[in-house]
Amino acid sequence: MLGVVKSSQPERGRSRLKIYLDILLTIDKAQRARPTHILYQANLSYDRLTKYLGELRERSLISEIADGDAKYFEVTKKGKEFIKEVERAQAFVGAFGLDI
Amino acid sequence: MSGAFTAGDVILNLFSGAVALLVSYYAYKYNRLVSNNVLRFIGLGFTALGVGLLVEAMTALSVAFLDHTRATGATLLLASTLAYLVLQILGYLVIAIGYTVGAFSAGNSGATVLALLVPNSPPVRYYFLRVGDNVVASFIMIVLLAFVVFQGLLIYRTHRNRLSLFVLAGFSFILLGYVVTLGSLLILSPAVYFVGDLIRFGGFLAMLMFLVGSGKVEPT
């Protein structure tokens, strides 16, 4: 198991786990994503995005890359495994009428 | 029941028990990630069901090898039969409660279902038990499974995906299997009993397909 993320307390309708997944998928799809891109795609405020990006970095699910003045994020190998695990969990619980 | 039926029974129950334990393993595993009460119920229910099916397989084996004319053999048969019946009823009951919690999120629905579905235990004597099964237990499991299938149908109608269809098909076949088993107990037919086991086995095959399917998720 790739770390426990408690998702029982939804924040504004989306669980923390779902928000993590949305951010990770956004970054993974773009391969390298800038914060503004993630902000729009994951539909988060700047404060919340900063908070979640910090948490994902702490869990080593994403890494930050500086390219001159620009700042990018990439999904790490652990992050890619986490995405797969959460998607499997989503499929499993979905069959019982639940969402992550 | 003839030797061939007993051997078939043992194999089917071992496989079904293994699949049930596998479902419970994944329910517990994903519960660590998702943290949901329904998953806890499903994990617990399938654990009880899996252990119950394995005990049933061991009981069928003991029927073949133990001397039940002796007191020890008869007591062992009685104890294992009661154990697997209670475990399986408990398993379906917990799954049914989990489904109710998931579908309606009502605070006391589990207690209500429990109060409605579990009658006072009838006096049990071991001669009432036929090859590890009895009419009362089968009837209770049919009622519980009918409830589970109904919930599964509601979930499938809402989500309409392949995996929820596998779960619905799994529970439906298990329900049908118990209906046939109940029929076999009423007409005292080992062949029909075995057909019931085969249908129930089909249900666990559908559960296995669900597990395989949930492990092969297409990238989003």
Side-chain angles (χ1 to χ4, degrees):
Chain A
M1 184 61 65
L2 297 156
V4 180
V5 180
K6 295 292 178 190
S7 65
S8 54
Q9 295 174 341
E11 297 180 24
R12 293 183 195 175
R14 266 191 300 177
S15 70
R16 180 182 296 265
L17 186 62
K18 183 83 175 160
I19 293 170
Y20 279 6
L21 183 64
D22 287 346
I23 293 173
L24 287 169
L25 285 173
T26 299
I27 300 172
D28 196 43
K29 195 175 173 185
Q31 295 187 324
R32 294 173 78 186
R34 298 183 71 157
T36 42
H37 177 71
I38 306 167
L39 190 135
Y40 287 119
Q41 292 296 315
N43 195 24
L44 291 164
S45 66
Y46 180 78
D47 289 346
R48 294 177 77 211
L49 177 68
T50 308
K51 176 186 153 197
Y52 290 124
L53 287 176
E55 288 174 8
L56 290 170
R57 279 180 60 193
E58 274 176 28
R59 291 169 184 271
S60 305
L61 299 176
I62 58 170
S63 59
E64 189 178 326
I65 299 161
D67 188 1
D69 288 341
K71 187 168 75 172
Y72 295 92
F73 289 96
E74 269 184 358
V75 178
T76 61
K77 190 181 172 192
K78 190 179 172 188
K80 286 179 190 291
E81 286 173 18
F82 184 81
I83 291 173
K84 281 183 191 166
E85 191 72 359
V86 175
E87 285 181 335
R88 284 192 201 109
Q90 192 167 241
F92 184 92
V93 303
F96 292 98
L98 307 169
D99 201 2
I100 58 170
Chain B
M1 188 177 289
S2 72
F5 283 137
T6 304
D9 227 20
V10 170
I11 293 166
L12 294 183
N13 284 326
L14 281 176
F15 177 85
S16 302
V19 172
L21 290 177
L22 210 55
V23 174
S24 75
Y25 165 76
Y26 281 104
Y28 287 129
K29 180 183 173 185
Y30 292 138
N31 186 50
R32 285 186 61 203
L33 197 64
V34 178
S35 187
N36 188 294
N37 279 334
V38 177
L39 279 184
R40 284 190 199 103
F41 276 110
I42 287 166
L44 182 65
F46 274 98
T47 302
L49 191 58
V51 173
L53 286 163
L54 294 182
V55 174
E56 184 174 357
M58 294 301 123
T59 306
L61 268 181
S62 82
V63 168
F65 292 110
L66 286 179
D67 179 4
H68 297 293
T69 56
R70 299 177 81 93
T72 318
T75 308
L76 193 67
L77 177 64
L78 172 65
S80 60
T81 302
L82 283 177
Y84 85 67
L85 288 175
V86 168
L87 280 167
Q88 289 184 41
I89 289 172
L90 183 72
Y92 291 124
L93 180 65
V94 173
I95 291 167
I97 291 171
Y99 257 12
T100 309
V101 173
F104 301 110
S105 301
N108 293 319
S109 56
T112 310
V113 172
L114 194 73
L116 284 173
L117 297 178
V118 180
N120 291 329
S121 298
V124 179
R125 295 177 183 166
Y126 86 85
Y127 58 77
F128 182 68
L129 305 166
R130 181 188 167 274
V131 199
D133 227 293
N134 69 47
V135 174
V136 175
S138 294
F139 182 75
I140 294 171
M141 285 191 261
I142 287 168
V143 173
L144 289 171
L145 277 163
F147 187 75
V148 169
V149 167
F150 177 68
Q151 299 298 328
L153 193 63
L154 291 180
I155 288 167
Y156 176 67
R157 281 173 63 95
T158 309
H159 292 80
R160 293 211 175 264
N161 67 43
R162 193 170 49 92
L163 294 177
S164 56
L165 181 62
F166 280 141
V167 173
L168 174 61
F171 282 126
S172 300
F173 276 115
I174 295 170
L175 169 63
L176 187 61
Y178 276 111
V179 171
V180 174
T181 298
L182 180 61
S184 79
L185 292 170
L186 296 175
I187 62 172
L188 296 177
S189 167
V192 176
Y193 183 95
F194 187 66
V195 170
D197 265 1
L198 272 177
I199 296 171
R200 195 170 58 163
F201 173 74
F204 284 98
L205 270 182
M207 288 291 180
L208 186 63
M209 288 166 75
F210 153 65
L211 284 180
V212 172
S214 67
K216 288 181 183 172
V217 178
E218 295 296 318
T220 309

